[in-house]
Amino acid sequence: MFLIRFLRKKTELWNAIISAYVVNGCADNVSKIYKQMKLLKIPTDTLTVTDVLSSCSSVGSYDFGSLIHTELEKKRPVQSNVALQSALSTVLETS
């Protein structure tokens, strides 16, 4: 509980956790972390979405990646960059 309160509204800390999961081969846990962020109304940014999409590609969770893509298109603008575009194209090409 302390950890959740500490992390509340700290997008950078959540991004660090997500990145650590991806880098250390635990990408299958990233969707759980992302869903918890959404549940707690933690704002996401381009780095969050890029790492989540990359994890979707590495574990073959293309349906979840497509949901993220839909969220990006409908709900809010995200600053586009090469890493995000690459992650999106990887998820969308294989789904």
Side-chain angles (χ1 to χ4, degrees):
M1 188 66 148
F2 170 76
L3 184 60
I4 298 296
R5 272 190 261 137
F6 179 71
L7 293 174
R8 192 171 298 267
K9 305 295 182 192
K10 305 279 187 200
T11 303
E12 297 82 11
L13 296 174
W14 285 85
N15 286 347
I17 292 168
I18 289 172
S19 293
Y21 275 123
V22 172
V23 169
N24 290 300
C26 300
D28 52 330
N29 292 321
V30 170
S31 64
K32 295 174 192 169
I33 298 294
Y34 183 79
K35 288 174 186 176
Q36 189 159 13
M37 282 181 78
K38 301 301 280 179
L39 181 69
L40 295 171
K41 297 183 181 359
I42 306 295
T44 58
D45 59 16
T46 303
L47 180 59
T48 311
V49 175
T50 301
D51 280 347
V52 171
L53 288 171
S54 295
S55 75
C56 289
S57 295
S58 67
V59 297
S61 181
Y62 305 114
D63 291 339
F64 189 67
S66 292
L67 288 173
I68 303 270
H69 177 252
T70 301
E71 176 185 310
L72 289 174
E73 287 182 328
K74 292 183 178 181
K75 294 189 179 177
R76 62 183 176 81
V78 172
Q79 179 184 357
S80 183
N81 64 32
V82 174
L84 176 59
Q85 293 303 318
S86 176
L88 269 172
S89 66
T90 302
V91 167
L92 296 176
E93 284 176 6
T94 52
S95 59

